[in-house]
mmCIF file of all heavy atoms in Angstrom:
data_model
loop_
_atom_site.group_PDB
_atom_site.id
_atom_site.type_symbol
_atom_site.label_atom_id
_atom_site.label_comp_id
_atom_site.label_asym_id
_atom_site.label_seq_id
_atom_site.Cartn_x
_atom_site.Cartn_y
_atom_site.Cartn_z
ATOM 1 N N ARG A 323 30.343 -7.738 -16.852
ATOM 2 C CA ARG A 323 28.959 -8.120 -17.120
ATOM 3 C C ARG A 323 28.197 -6.951 -17.743
ATOM 4 O O ARG A 323 28.505 -5.792 -17.468
ATOM 5 C CB ARG A 323 28.248 -8.559 -15.832
ATOM 6 C CG ARG A 323 28.812 -9.837 -15.238
ATOM 7 C CD ARG A 323 28.155 -10.168 -13.905
ATOM 8 N NE ARG A 323 28.657 -11.425 -13.370
ATOM 9 C CZ ARG A 323 28.133 -12.609 -13.642
ATOM 10 N NH1 ARG A 323 27.083 -12.693 -14.439
ATOM 11 N NH2 ARG A 323 28.647 -13.700 -13.125
ATOM 12 N N PRO A 324 27.204 -7.237 -18.557
ATOM 13 C CA PRO A 324 26.435 -6.142 -19.158
ATOM 14 C C PRO A 324 25.590 -5.409 -18.125
ATOM 15 O O PRO A 324 25.134 -6.002 -17.146
ATOM 16 C CB PRO A 324 25.541 -6.865 -20.176
ATOM 17 C CG PRO A 324 25.431 -8.258 -19.673
ATOM 18 C CD PRO A 324 26.743 -8.563 -19.003
ATOM 19 N N VAL A 325 25.394 -4.116 -18.337
ATOM 20 C CA VAL A 325 24.485 -3.328 -17.497
ATOM 21 C C VAL A 325 23.139 -3.292 -18.222
ATOM 22 O O VAL A 325 22.938 -2.526 -19.152
ATOM 23 C CB VAL A 325 25.028 -1.905 -17.263
ATOM 24 C CG1 VAL A 325 24.066 -1.107 -16.401
ATOM 25 C CG2 VAL A 325 26.394 -1.965 -16.608
ATOM 26 N N TYR A 326 22.230 -4.133 -17.777
ATOM 27 C CA TYR A 326 20.970 -4.317 -18.501
ATOM 28 C C TYR A 326 20.129 -3.046 -18.563
ATOM 29 O O TYR A 326 19.391 -2.831 -19.523
ATOM 30 C CB TYR A 326 20.157 -5.442 -17.848
ATOM 31 C CG TYR A 326 20.851 -6.779 -17.832
ATOM 32 C CD1 TYR A 326 21.228 -7.371 -16.631
ATOM 33 C CD2 TYR A 326 21.140 -7.449 -19.015
ATOM 34 C CE1 TYR A 326 21.869 -8.607 -16.610
ATOM 35 C CE2 TYR A 326 21.780 -8.687 -19.006
ATOM 36 C CZ TYR A 326 22.139 -9.256 -17.796
ATOM 37 O OH TYR A 326 22.772 -10.467 -17.782
ATOM 38 N N ASP A 327 20.228 -2.217 -17.526
ATOM 39 C CA ASP A 327 19.348 -1.051 -17.442
ATOM 40 C C ASP A 327 19.639 -0.002 -18.513
ATOM 41 O O ASP A 327 18.855 0.928 -18.695
ATOM 42 C CB ASP A 327 19.457 -0.415 -16.051
ATOM 43 C CG ASP A 327 19.014 -1.354 -14.942
ATOM 44 O OD1 ASP A 327 18.401 -2.384 -15.262
ATOM 45 O OD2 ASP A 327 19.294 -1.064 -13.767
ATOM 46 N N THR A 328 20.764 -0.117 -19.210
ATOM 47 C CA THR A 328 21.087 0.847 -20.269
ATOM 48 C C THR A 328 20.654 0.374 -21.652
ATOM 49 O O THR A 328 20.777 1.113 -22.631
ATOM 50 C CB THR A 328 22.605 1.111 -20.300
ATOM 51 O OG1 THR A 328 23.281 -0.098 -20.657
ATOM 52 C CG2 THR A 328 23.103 1.609 -18.967
ATOM 53 N N MET A 329 20.166 -0.862 -21.756
ATOM 54 C CA MET A 329 19.944 -1.461 -23.072
ATOM 55 C C MET A 329 18.738 -0.888 -23.802
ATOM 56 O O MET A 329 18.822 -0.537 -24.987
ATOM 57 C CB MET A 329 19.816 -2.973 -22.931
ATOM 58 C CG MET A 329 21.116 -3.634 -22.516
ATOM 59 S SD MET A 329 20.980 -5.418 -22.380
ATOM 60 C CE MET A 329 22.688 -5.834 -22.008
ATOM 61 N N VAL A 330 17.595 -0.810 -23.136
ATOM 62 C CA VAL A 330 16.405 -0.273 -23.805
ATOM 63 C C VAL A 330 16.581 1.210 -24.148
ATOM 64 O O VAL A 330 16.214 1.621 -25.258
ATOM 65 C CB VAL A 330 15.140 -0.515 -22.950
ATOM 66 C CG1 VAL A 330 13.948 0.261 -23.500
ATOM 67 C CG2 VAL A 330 14.813 -2.009 -22.925
ATOM 68 N N PRO A 331 17.136 2.046 -23.251
ATOM 69 C CA PRO A 331 17.423 3.419 -23.679
ATOM 70 C C PRO A 331 18.305 3.488 -24.922
ATOM 71 O O PRO A 331 18.103 4.329 -25.798
ATOM 72 C CB PRO A 331 18.114 4.034 -22.454
ATOM 73 C CG PRO A 331 17.538 3.288 -21.298
ATOM 74 C CD PRO A 331 17.368 1.887 -21.799
ATOM 75 N N SER A 332 19.282 2.575 -25.033
ATOM 76 C CA SER A 332 20.139 2.548 -26.216
ATOM 77 C C SER A 332 19.342 2.157 -27.454
ATOM 78 O O SER A 332 19.503 2.741 -28.532
ATOM 79 C CB SER A 332 21.287 1.558 -25.997
ATOM 80 O OG SER A 332 22.079 1.448 -27.152
ATOM 81 N N LEU A 333 18.468 1.154 -27.308
ATOM 82 C CA LEU A 333 17.607 0.740 -28.429
ATOM 83 C C LEU A 333 16.738 1.890 -28.901
ATOM 84 O O LEU A 333 16.610 2.148 -30.110
ATOM 85 C CB LEU A 333 16.759 -0.456 -27.994
ATOM 86 C CG LEU A 333 15.772 -1.056 -28.992
ATOM 87 C CD1 LEU A 333 15.543 -2.534 -28.699
ATOM 88 C CD2 LEU A 333 14.410 -0.341 -28.956
ATOM 89 N N ILE A 334 16.101 2.573 -27.939
ATOM 90 C CA ILE A 334 15.204 3.686 -28.280
ATOM 91 C C ILE A 334 15.951 4.779 -29.024
ATOM 92 O O ILE A 334 15.465 5.337 -30.014
ATOM 93 C CB ILE A 334 14.553 4.247 -26.993
ATOM 94 C CG1 ILE A 334 13.572 3.231 -26.421
ATOM 95 C CG2 ILE A 334 13.853 5.579 -27.266
ATOM 96 C CD1 ILE A 334 13.074 3.574 -25.037
ATOM 97 N N GLN A 335 17.142 5.076 -28.564
ATOM 98 C CA GLN A 335 17.944 6.141 -29.167
ATOM 99 C C GLN A 335 18.272 5.837 -30.632
ATOM 100 O O GLN A 335 18.327 6.744 -31.470
ATOM 101 C CB GLN A 335 19.227 6.314 -28.369
ATOM 102 C CG GLN A 335 19.901 7.664 -28.551
ATOM 103 C CD GLN A 335 20.995 7.879 -27.530
ATOM 104 O OE1 GLN A 335 21.667 6.922 -27.112
ATOM 105 N NE2 GLN A 335 21.185 9.110 -27.097
ATOM 106 N N GLN A 336 18.454 4.550 -30.945
ATOM 107 C CA GLN A 336 18.817 4.167 -32.305
ATOM 108 C C GLN A 336 17.618 3.887 -33.200
ATOM 109 O O GLN A 336 17.661 4.161 -34.399
ATOM 110 C CB GLN A 336 19.704 2.915 -32.266
ATOM 111 C CG GLN A 336 21.019 3.125 -31.553
ATOM 112 C CD GLN A 336 21.790 1.825 -31.431
ATOM 113 O OE1 GLN A 336 22.260 1.268 -32.410
ATOM 114 N NE2 GLN A 336 21.915 1.335 -30.208
ATOM 115 N N ALA A 337 16.540 3.341 -32.631
ATOM 116 C CA ALA A 337 15.419 2.884 -33.444
ATOM 117 C C ALA A 337 14.389 3.967 -33.735
ATOM 118 O O ALA A 337 13.673 3.902 -34.737
ATOM 119 C CB ALA A 337 14.728 1.696 -32.761
ATOM 120 N N LEU A 338 14.299 4.982 -32.880
ATOM 121 C CA LEU A 338 13.231 5.974 -33.018
ATOM 122 C C LEU A 338 13.742 7.291 -33.577
ATOM 123 O O LEU A 338 14.860 7.711 -33.250
ATOM 124 C CB LEU A 338 12.567 6.240 -31.658
ATOM 125 C CG LEU A 338 11.379 5.361 -31.282
ATOM 126 C CD1 LEU A 338 11.788 3.906 -31.158
ATOM 127 C CD2 LEU A 338 10.747 5.858 -29.990
ATOM 128 N N PRO A 339 12.925 7.962 -34.393
ATOM 129 C CA PRO A 339 13.263 9.333 -34.802
ATOM 130 C C PRO A 339 13.300 10.241 -33.576
ATOM 131 O O PRO A 339 12.630 9.988 -32.574
ATOM 132 C CB PRO A 339 12.100 9.714 -35.729
ATOM 133 C CG PRO A 339 11.461 8.429 -36.127
ATOM 134 C CD PRO A 339 11.685 7.478 -35.002
ATOM 135 N N ASN A 340 14.070 11.313 -33.656
ATOM 136 C CA ASN A 340 14.256 12.206 -32.508
ATOM 137 C C ASN A 340 12.941 12.738 -31.948
ATOM 138 O O ASN A 340 12.755 12.819 -30.737
ATOM 139 C CB ASN A 340 15.167 13.370 -32.896
ATOM 140 C CG ASN A 340 16.610 12.942 -33.033
ATOM 141 O OD1 ASN A 340 17.017 11.926 -32.472
ATOM 142 N ND2 ASN A 340 17.383 13.694 -33.791
ATOM 143 N N LEU A 341 12.011 13.097 -32.849
ATOM 144 C CA LEU A 341 10.770 13.705 -32.384
ATOM 145 C C LEU A 341 9.896 12.718 -31.615
ATOM 146 O O LEU A 341 9.070 13.113 -30.795
ATOM 147 C CB LEU A 341 9.991 14.284 -33.562
ATOM 148 C CG LEU A 341 10.622 15.522 -34.223
ATOM 149 C CD1 LEU A 341 9.786 15.971 -35.416
ATOM 150 C CD2 LEU A 341 10.765 16.662 -33.218
ATOM 151 N N LEU A 342 10.062 11.413 -31.882
ATOM 152 C CA LEU A 342 9.242 10.415 -31.189
ATOM 153 C C LEU A 342 9.830 10.018 -29.841
ATOM 154 O O LEU A 342 9.155 9.359 -29.046
ATOM 155 C CB LEU A 342 9.079 9.174 -32.064
ATOM 156 C CG LEU A 342 8.100 9.300 -33.239
ATOM 157 C CD1 LEU A 342 8.020 7.981 -33.994
ATOM 158 C CD2 LEU A 342 6.706 9.695 -32.745
ATOM 159 N N ILE A 343 11.071 10.386 -29.590
ATOM 160 C CA ILE A 343 11.671 10.043 -28.296
ATOM 161 C C ILE A 343 10.913 10.730 -27.161
ATOM 162 O O ILE A 343 10.749 10.173 -26.072
ATOM 163 C CB ILE A 343 13.168 10.426 -28.287
ATOM 164 C CG1 ILE A 343 13.933 9.484 -29.220
ATOM 165 C CG2 ILE A 343 13.731 10.353 -26.877
ATOM 166 C CD1 ILE A 343 15.408 9.782 -29.329
ATOM 167 N N GLY A 344 10.407 11.942 -27.427
ATOM 168 C CA GLY A 344 9.603 12.633 -26.415
ATOM 169 C C GLY A 344 8.354 11.860 -26.056
ATOM 170 O O GLY A 344 7.937 11.815 -24.891
ATOM 171 N N VAL A 345 7.738 11.207 -27.056
ATOM 172 C CA VAL A 345 6.553 10.387 -26.802
ATOM 173 C C VAL A 345 6.904 9.207 -25.897
ATOM 174 O O VAL A 345 6.161 8.853 -24.976
ATOM 175 C CB VAL A 345 5.951 9.884 -28.137
ATOM 176 C CG1 VAL A 345 4.784 8.941 -27.881
ATOM 177 C CG2 VAL A 345 5.526 11.045 -28.999
ATOM 178 N N VAL A 346 8.082 8.609 -26.149
ATOM 179 C CA VAL A 346 8.500 7.467 -25.339
ATOM 180 C C VAL A 346 8.798 7.899 -23.900
ATOM 181 O O VAL A 346 8.494 7.184 -22.949
ATOM 182 C CB VAL A 346 9.742 6.790 -25.962
ATOM 183 C CG1 VAL A 346 10.267 5.683 -25.060
ATOM 184 C CG2 VAL A 346 9.396 6.237 -27.323
ATOM 185 N N VAL A 347 9.389 9.077 -23.753
ATOM 186 C CA VAL A 347 9.651 9.586 -22.404
ATOM 187 C C VAL A 347 8.342 9.722 -21.628
ATOM 188 O O VAL A 347 8.247 9.321 -20.456
ATOM 189 C CB VAL A 347 10.382 10.944 -22.467
ATOM 190 C CG1 VAL A 347 10.443 11.586 -21.087
ATOM 191 C CG2 VAL A 347 11.792 10.764 -23.011
ATOM 192 N N VAL A 348 7.325 10.280 -22.280
ATOM 193 C CA VAL A 348 6.024 10.425 -21.625
ATOM 194 C C VAL A 348 5.402 9.054 -21.380
ATOM 195 O O VAL A 348 4.737 8.832 -20.355
ATOM 196 C CB VAL A 348 5.091 11.318 -22.470
ATOM 197 C CG1 VAL A 348 3.695 11.342 -21.875
ATOM 198 C CG2 VAL A 348 5.651 12.718 -22.555
ATOM 199 N N LEU A 349 5.614 8.106 -22.298
ATOM 200 C CA LEU A 349 5.122 6.745 -22.113
ATOM 201 C C LEU A 349 5.686 6.142 -20.829
ATOM 202 O O LEU A 349 4.947 5.626 -19.980
ATOM 203 C CB LEU A 349 5.525 5.886 -23.320
ATOM 204 C CG LEU A 349 5.761 4.380 -23.090
ATOM 205 C CD1 LEU A 349 4.466 3.685 -22.761
ATOM 206 C CD2 LEU A 349 6.435 3.749 -24.289
ATOM 207 N N VAL A 350 7.001 6.183 -20.661
ATOM 208 C CA VAL A 350 7.628 5.596 -19.485
ATOM 209 C C VAL A 350 7.268 6.385 -18.223
ATOM 210 O O VAL A 350 7.045 5.812 -17.158
ATOM 211 C CB VAL A 350 9.159 5.536 -19.660
ATOM 212 C CG1 VAL A 350 9.818 4.951 -18.421
ATOM 213 C CG2 VAL A 350 9.515 4.707 -20.884
ATOM 214 N N LEU A 351 7.190 7.690 -18.365
ATOM 215 C CA LEU A 351 6.790 8.516 -17.229
ATOM 216 C C LEU A 351 5.367 8.172 -16.796
ATOM 217 O O LEU A 351 5.072 8.061 -15.599
ATOM 218 C CB LEU A 351 6.886 9.996 -17.597
ATOM 219 C CG LEU A 351 6.558 11.008 -16.489
ATOM 220 C CD1 LEU A 351 7.496 10.826 -15.309
ATOM 221 C CD2 LEU A 351 6.647 12.429 -17.029
ATOM 222 N N SER A 352 4.465 7.980 -17.765
ATOM 223 C CA SER A 352 3.082 7.609 -17.457
ATOM 224 C C SER A 352 3.030 6.283 -16.722
ATOM 225 O O SER A 352 2.351 6.139 -15.691
ATOM 226 C CB SER A 352 2.262 7.504 -18.754
ATOM 227 O OG SER A 352 2.190 8.729 -19.410
ATOM 228 N N ALA A 353 3.745 5.292 -17.262
ATOM 229 C CA ALA A 353 3.749 3.970 -16.637
ATOM 230 C C ALA A 353 4.308 4.032 -15.219
ATOM 231 O O ALA A 353 3.797 3.381 -14.301
ATOM 232 C CB ALA A 353 4.583 3.013 -17.487
ATOM 233 N N SER A 354 5.336 4.848 -15.042
ATOM 234 C CA SER A 354 6.004 4.896 -13.746
ATOM 235 C C SER A 354 5.220 5.681 -12.704
ATOM 236 O O SER A 354 5.093 5.259 -11.549
ATOM 237 C CB SER A 354 7.398 5.511 -13.913
ATOM 238 O OG SER A 354 8.159 4.742 -14.817
ATOM 239 N N LEU A 355 4.672 6.830 -13.104
ATOM 240 C CA LEU A 355 3.922 7.635 -12.141
ATOM 241 C C LEU A 355 2.665 6.915 -11.675
ATOM 242 O O LEU A 355 2.263 7.032 -10.516
ATOM 243 C CB LEU A 355 3.564 8.985 -12.751
ATOM 244 C CG LEU A 355 4.706 10.001 -12.846
ATOM 245 C CD1 LEU A 355 4.198 11.308 -13.452
ATOM 246 C CD2 LEU A 355 5.324 10.269 -11.485
ATOM 247 N N SER A 356 2.027 6.162 -12.573
ATOM 248 C CA SER A 356 0.831 5.418 -12.166
ATOM 249 C C SER A 356 1.190 4.344 -11.142
ATOM 250 O O SER A 356 0.465 4.123 -10.164
ATOM 251 C CB SER A 356 0.157 4.787 -13.387
ATOM 252 O OG SER A 356 1.069 3.960 -14.083
ATOM 253 N N THR A 357 2.333 3.684 -11.353
ATOM 254 C CA THR A 357 2.793 2.696 -10.368
ATOM 255 C C THR A 357 3.179 3.363 -9.063
ATOM 256 O O THR A 357 2.814 2.910 -7.975
ATOM 257 C CB THR A 357 3.987 1.906 -10.932
ATOM 258 O OG1 THR A 357 3.591 1.233 -12.124
ATOM 259 C CG2 THR A 357 4.491 0.883 -9.924
ATOM 260 N N LEU A 358 3.928 4.465 -9.166
ATOM 261 C CA LEU A 358 4.369 5.174 -7.962
ATOM 262 C C LEU A 358 3.189 5.650 -7.124
ATOM 263 O O LEU A 358 3.210 5.558 -5.893
ATOM 264 C CB LEU A 358 5.232 6.375 -8.359
ATOM 265 C CG LEU A 358 6.635 6.058 -8.889
ATOM 266 C CD1 LEU A 358 7.281 7.315 -9.451
ATOM 267 C CD2 LEU A 358 7.498 5.459 -7.796
ATOM 268 N N SER A 359 2.159 6.172 -7.787
ATOM 269 C CA SER A 359 1.011 6.687 -7.043
ATOM 270 C C SER A 359 0.338 5.581 -6.242
ATOM 271 O O SER A 359 -0.056 5.785 -5.087
ATOM 272 C CB SER A 359 0.014 7.347 -8.005
ATOM 273 O OG SER A 359 -0.508 6.404 -8.928
#
Side-chain angles (χ1 to χ4, degrees):
R323 294 175 177 271
V325 180
Y326 300 115
D327 298 347
T328 64
M329 292 181 176
V330 169
S332 176
L333 179 152
I334 291 169
Q335 201 168 33
Q336 297 175 68
L338 270 63
N340 287 338
L341 291 178
L342 285 181
I343 290 178
V345 176
V346 175
V347 170
V348 174
L349 150 68
V350 179
L351 183 60
S352 297
S354 301
L355 284 181
S356 56
T357 300
L358 288 171
S359 63

